[in-house]
Amino acid sequence: MSKPIRKAAVIGSGVMGSGIAAHLANCGIECLLLDLVPKQLTVEETAKGLTLEHPAVRNRLAAGAIARLAKQKPAPLYDDSFAKRITPGNISDHLAQIAGVDWVIEVIVENQQAKQDLLAQIELHWKPGTFVTTNTSGISVNAMSAGCGEAFRRHFLGTHFFNPARYMKLLEFIPGEHTDPEVVAGLKQFCETRLGKTVVIAKDTPNFIANRIGTYGLLVTLQEMVDNGFRIEEVDAVTGPAMGRPKSATFRTLDLVGLDTFMHVANNVFTNVSDPQEKAVFDVPNVLKTMVERGWLGEKAGQGFYLKQKGADGGSVILSLDLAAMAYVPQRKVASVSLDAAKRAKGAGARTKALIEAGDKYSLLAWNILKKVLLYSADKVGEIAGSIHEIDEAMKWGFNWELGPFETWDAIGLAKSVERMEAEGDSVPAWVKAWIAEGHAAFYEKRDGGRFFVHDGQLRKLEMPPEAISLRELKEQGRVVRSNSGASLIDLGDGVACLEFHSPNNAIGADILHMIRQSTEAVRDGFDGLVIANQGKNFCVGANLVMLLMEAQDGEWDEIDGIIRLFQSTMYRLKRFEKPVVAAPHRMTLGGGVEACMPADQVIASAETYYGLVEVGVGLIPAGGGCKELALRASLSATHPEADIQPYVNRAFETIGLAKVSTSGHDAIRMGLMRPGDRVVTNPDHQIYEAKQAVLRLVQAGYEPEREEKFRVAGADGKSVLLTGAQAMRHGGYISEHDLKIAAKLAHVLAGGDVPAGTLVTEQYLLELEREAFLSLCGEPKTQQRMQHMLTKGKALRN
């Protein structure tokens, strides 16, 4: 890349613009956020005696957008303090400041003329070499920049972020006909590495890739429902996880997007394509137009295809829209042979295949929708994207499909499905039939240690950057060193091994603990260091609660004691291991998952890591070293030997006692659950690579394991302070009597028991306190009720 990006300017402070600015700030980029100058004073501004010329008024739109970031859900910022990296301004006074930035992003209203006018202003202040991009969702990039100079157009392209910018991984690049390929390559590398995006290259066509195919799919689904008299909840039951799609399926997705927004996107294709058949599909149905006219726009309006109301019992009831009567009615449960078959199948491809082959009415609905989307996707290869892989990636990361269209086609059987399509009178693109005729059974093939896909009638290798390590591919290459039902040790190369959890929900049980022990033996003999990571949906949701509850209900206290001793000793062994260990948690990392990371020499967390010691939610306290580690860190935080450690112990007590969970990896560091020396990686695909590099750096630095030393505890006096706070919460009605009992156990452990304040203790001493408290709580009926409730309801019980 010819120049680094250290500072950016976002022009347009609406939901999308402020979200993009927030994500740039998340990734350490200083950002100037500009918007129009208001034409009228607010009541509050008038009361303060401000005028339209006052800077606070002139910058109001951008400043207000920044202020709202901390209140938005889901949170646009990894940490609220990152808002300081965004400077508000206005286009009239501050546009000239873009001469000092490295990237300008236009995010104003979706109107071609307005964008053209703004680009003309930007060019007046543009510094040669600065990237300029537009965050359009469908307007032609070439048409937009037609009036700009050649040098400017070489540095101009479309960058279509998906909303919300922090969470949606897809970023569509739309180069113009004059865009310099080196500009595209450099910005692509930056967006993938620093912003954590999956970048796909789209052609400059209406709605680009994801919105073109996604909108088509939603419209043909709506048409199938109307033509065949299906209810809304029936369609959503079929077009959700059963087809490898999100739980929001079709109509909840439309409600979330907003029906007016969806209509705008559909109309953009309708207006700009010439094929009559395609045009007919994108002609929005009258029922949708009627809903928009009535203001039934979806979630933002309080009603759309679904309406949430209070039921007779005071709880929430969700009604669905009867399109024939245009009235909301109670939902009816949806069940069928095909849906049951899909639930039993493992993996998105197997679920979809089971669904369409079952032979009932829902099976036929799924097939009629799916085949149209597959054929449309195949027909658009070359027109909207250069390859099938770009289309697959766009749909997976833009619409959260588990498999892209062509991956889905492979999963259901390419030749067999094409034969069925043609038997039903559908026209299959010639290139698809030619590929099958050459003897190919799929669009993607594995050979010679790589993955290939069809491109222009030939197989092209799918080139992956070295940072994108795939544990699945390494296992397919025979790189497994040891394995059992819960975990595997995999050779990452360069003397580094990876311990991968793969139990159900990656919950920690005896199988994982035994594999950790076996892994340390294998690494001691044949590797330089160890990474603890996996690429499951979540890193680890905690210990195996099912097993623990069964043992507690049966009164098998020796068994539970043995399990906790095994957990504690395994984590202690990991902490004192003579070779470096780096943990790489991602997404939900709870309870025992956090305790599995705490012994590591360094944690390389994904930015989207939701990290917390949440055992109190099931009536317990952390007993795999979590309490011990926070007590130790409290002692170490008070660097002077005479310094008061009580504030640090109080913080640990509150963090565990309230079962706090971080909202990001950065937030976990702020909370003290991770250390200042731990790192956060934005791109989850690069996380294992970065963890591996951290191990290699530790090896190169001449790694020596941390020696155990005694540390100070708050003792009986500190315990009293903690209990006083808990009792005040009980008196105030904020916690139950059982919560208070748990808090007392937790206070006893974190304070180091009833010893005098400042007593030096060992880690083993704290582990014994943990284990005793945990065992006693396991025997409490109310704790067992909480465990049962969590397993059956998926949420905490307050009893």
Side-chain angles (χ1 to χ4, degrees):
M1 194 167 176
S2 57
K3 56 178 286 186
I5 295 178
R6 298 189 179 93
K7 190 171 184 178
V10 175
I11 304 177
S13 67
V15 172
M16 199 69 235
S18 61
I20 292 171
H23 193 56
L24 291 170
N26 283 336
C27 302
I29 309 300
E30 297 291 325
C31 191
L32 179 66
L33 182 63
L34 306 181
D35 211 317
L36 297 171
V37 173
K39 296 181 179 179
Q40 291 182 321
L41 293 171
T42 65
V43 174
E44 292 81 5
E45 289 167 344
T46 302
K48 292 178 181 178
L50 302 180
T51 69
L52 288 173
E53 297 306 310
H54 194 283
V57 176
R58 295 178 71 80
N59 297 340
R60 182 215 306 155
L61 296 181
I66 296 168
R68 287 190 295 273
L69 292 174
K71 302 174 185 177
Q72 290 178 26
K73 300 294 181 185
L77 293 166
Y78 292 150
D79 189 292
D80 288 347
S81 66
F82 292 172
K84 296 175 183 176
R85 297 171 180 169
I86 310 174
T87 302
N90 67 79
I91 296 171
S92 300
D93 300 334
H94 305 114
L95 191 61
Q97 293 183 19
I98 66 172
V101 307
D102 307 301
W103 183 10
V104 179
I105 310 173
E106 171 272 306
V107 200
I108 65 168
V109 62
E110 281 288 272
N111 177 280
Q112 183 173 311
Q113 188 60 55
K115 289 179 182 289
Q116 286 176 328
D117 293 345
L118 179 57
L119 286 181
Q121 293 183 61
I122 290 171
E123 189 171 14
L124 293 175
H125 304 286
W126 176 68
K127 181 179 64 179
T130 300
F131 302 116
V132 181
T133 70
T134 173
N135 183 66
T136 177
S137 60
I139 296 176
S140 170
V141 170
N142 287 309
M144 194 188 306
S145 60
C148 299
E150 184 180 344
F152 184 89
R153 295 180 76 182
R154 283 203 302 270
H155 291 82
F156 178 73
L157 66 150
T159 48
H160 180 207
F161 288 81
F162 278 65
N163 188 36
R166 166 183 166 178
Y167 300 94
M168 294 299 288
K169 197 177 176 189
L170 179 65
L171 176 54
E172 290 180 325
F173 270 26
I174 309 96
E177 56 189 13
H178 296 282
T179 309
D180 188 332
E182 290 188 5
V183 167
V184 175
L187 193 57
K188 181 175 185 287
Q189 181 186 22
F190 172 82
C191 290
E192 290 176 340
T193 303
R194 286 291 297 277
L195 303 189
K197 299 299 181 184
T198 291
V199 175
V200 300
I201 308 299
K203 301 291 184 73
D204 190 14
T205 57
N207 290 10
F208 314 128
I209 302 175
N211 278 345
R212 182 73 168 269
I213 292 174
T215 303
Y216 177 90
L218 290 167
L219 286 168
V220 297
T221 301
L222 180 58
Q223 195 61 52
E224 281 292 322
M225 181 186 76
V226 172
D227 289 347
N228 296 290
F230 286 102
R231 303 190 312 277
I232 282 172
E233 60 266 33
E234 288 180 303
V235 175
D236 273 359
V238 170
T239 59
M243 283 182 68
R245 310 285 172 81
K247 289 181 179 179
S248 57
T250 298
F251 295 106
R252 291 188 192 280
T253 295
L254 285 169
D255 277 355
L256 288 167
V257 169
L259 272 63
D260 53 342
T261 302
F262 177 76
M263 272 188 61
H264 172 78
V265 173
N267 286 333
N268 189 52
V269 181
F270 177 80
T271 304
N272 290 289
V273 297
S274 55
D275 178 66
Q277 288 185 320
E278 185 175 15
K279 208 174 185 71
V281 174
F282 285 92
D283 188 3
V284 175
N286 288 329
V287 64
L288 216 55
K289 295 175 183 176
T290 300
M291 292 176 69
V292 171
E293 288 169 1
R294 294 186 180 186
W296 298 356
L297 305 180
E299 190 171 88
K300 62 186 175 184
Q303 65 186 107
F305 286 102
Y306 290 98
L307 172 65
K308 192 174 185 178
Q309 290 185 337
K310 276 192 176 181
D313 61 354
S316 295
V317 176
I318 298 176
L319 307 177
S320 62
L321 183 63
D322 181 334
L323 295 184
M326 290 301 285
Y328 292 95
V329 297
Q331 295 186 65
R332 285 179 275 171
K333 188 175 181 180
V334 182
S336 75
V337 171
S338 59
L339 292 171
D340 287 343
K343 286 179 183 177
R344 290 193 299 270
K346 292 184 178 180
R351 290 199 302 274
T352 305
K353 190 171 188 291
L355 177 66
I356 65 172
E357 291 181 351
D360 62 15
K361 66 176 183 177
Y362 297 129
S363 183
L364 185 59
L365 171 65
W367 167 250
N368 286 338
I369 293 168
L370 181 62
K371 72 172 181 178
K372 290 177 181 177
V373 173
L374 298 183
L375 290 170
Y376 186 73
S377 300
D379 190 54
K380 295 303 162 188
V381 175
E383 178 184 336
I384 66 173
S387 74
I388 67 166
H389 182 64
E390 303 280 7
I391 292 176
D392 278 346
E393 291 294 284
M395 298 316 298
K396 285 191 292 186
W397 300 115
F399 275 72
N400 292 318
W401 292 7
E402 292 185 64
L403 298 174
F406 298 96
E407 292 171 327
T408 301
W409 212 334
D410 283 353
I412 66 172
L414 176 57
K416 183 179 177 182
S417 60
V418 165
E419 183 180 339
R420 180 177 175 182
M421 292 171 184
E422 292 190 310
E424 293 173 354
D426 296 300
S427 178
V428 178
W431 74 266
V432 175
K433 294 195 288 185
W435 185 247
I436 295 171
E438 289 181 15
H440 297 281
F443 293 114
Y444 290 89
E445 297 181 14
K446 290 180 180 178
R447 56 173 66 184
D448 304 324
R451 192 180 183 210
F452 294 75
F453 63 95
V454 57
H455 182 74
D456 290 337
Q458 297 182 339
L459 284 174
R460 171 185 287 186
K461 188 173 184 180
L462 185 59
E463 299 292 346
M464 300 299 291
E467 296 87 357
I469 293 175
S470 168
L471 296 180
R472 178 176 56 82
E473 290 184 5
L474 290 176
K475 288 190 286 187
E476 289 173 354
Q477 295 167 16
R479 303 278 284 275
V480 176
V481 180
R482 296 189 181 188
S483 184
N484 67 15
S485 59
S488 296
L489 185 68
I490 303 165
D491 184 355
L492 295 179
D494 301 317
V496 181
C498 176
L499 176 65
E500 176 203 33
F501 300 167
H502 48 65
S503 63
N505 294 317
N506 289 340
I508 296 178
D511 48 3
I512 287 180
L513 296 174
H514 286 304
M515 183 51 62
I516 293 174
R517 286 174 170 260
Q518 292 176 31
S519 295
T520 56
E521 295 169 4
V523 170
R524 181 183 292 113
D525 295 336
F527 294 89
D528 296 324
L530 177 67
V531 168
I532 302 176
N534 65 72
Q535 292 172 325
K537 180 180 179 181
N538 298 302
F539 177 80
C540 176
V541 298
N544 188 332
L545 194 59
V546 175
M547 177 269 297
L548 184 62
L549 177 59
M550 290 174 59
E551 300 288 9
Q553 289 175 333
D554 291 342
E556 298 289 350
W557 309 120
D558 288 343
E559 288 292 330
I560 296 175
D561 182 69
I563 293 167
I564 301 306
R565 287 179 184 274
L566 177 63
F567 200 157
Q568 290 181 338
S569 63
T570 302
M571 295 304 106
Y572 185 82
R573 174 185 291 197
L574 207 55
K575 184 172 183 178
R576 303 298 170 208
F577 188 47
E578 59 263 41
K579 296 189 177 182
V581 177
V582 173
H586 66 278
R587 296 193 66 82
M588 287 179 65
T589 304
L590 305 175
V594 172
E595 292 174 307
C597 296
M598 283 181 155
D601 298 290
Q602 189 176 25
V603 173
I604 306 292
S606 167
E608 299 300 340
T609 299
Y610 317 125
Y611 201 78
L613 294 166
V614 296
E615 287 85 350
V616 166
V618 290
L620 299 167
I621 68 164
C627 293
K628 178 263 294 182
E629 281 297 316
L630 287 195
L632 172 59
R633 292 178 189 183
S635 178
L636 295 175
S637 295
T639 52
H640 191 276
E642 301 301 320
D644 184 11
I645 68 171
Q646 188 68 48
Y648 304 103
V649 177
N650 293 349
R651 183 188 188 192
F653 181 69
E654 182 179 309
T655 298
I656 298 176
L658 297 179
K660 290 185 175 182
V661 177
S662 73
T663 58
S664 68
H666 296 87
D667 193 39
I669 295 174
R670 182 195 62 79
M671 292 169 62
L673 288 170
M674 294 197 312
R675 299 154 296 192
D678 293 332
R679 285 184 49 224
V680 178
V681 174
T682 310
N683 192 328
D685 295 339
H686 297 180
Q687 188 182 4
I688 294 178
Y689 171 85
E690 294 294 342
K692 175 182 172 182
Q693 298 309 306
V695 168
L696 293 175
R697 285 192 293 271
L698 288 168
V699 171
Q700 189 175 15
Y703 177 77
E704 289 288 338
E706 178 185 338
R707 295 179 60 184
E708 179 177 359
E709 294 184 5
K710 291 184 176 181
F711 60 96
R712 288 190 296 148
V713 292
D717 293 344
K719 174 181 171 180
S720 296
V721 172
L722 300 179
L723 284 175
T724 299
Q727 287 163 351
M729 291 188 71
R730 174 64 186 129
H731 292 318
Y734 297 106
I735 63 175
S736 69
E737 194 64 37
H738 191 55
D739 289 325
L740 182 60
K741 180 176 288 187
I742 298 166
K745 299 282 186 183
L746 178 61
H748 184 75
V749 175
L750 287 176
D754 294 320
V755 298
T759 298
L760 295 177
V761 301
T762 65
E763 291 185 40
Q764 290 297 332
Y765 169 76
L766 257 292
L767 289 175
E768 289 173 9
L769 294 183
E770 272 189 359
R771 189 171 67 255
E772 290 169 2
F774 188 92
L775 279 167
S776 66
L777 287 170
C778 280
E780 293 285 342
K782 288 189 176 181
T783 286
Q784 294 180 20
Q785 290 169 13
R786 290 190 178 193
M787 294 163 71
Q788 183 71 53
H789 194 269
M790 179 62 72
L791 290 170
T792 55
K793 303 292 185 180
K795 55 185 179 181
L797 172 68
R798 295 298 303 276
N799 59 350

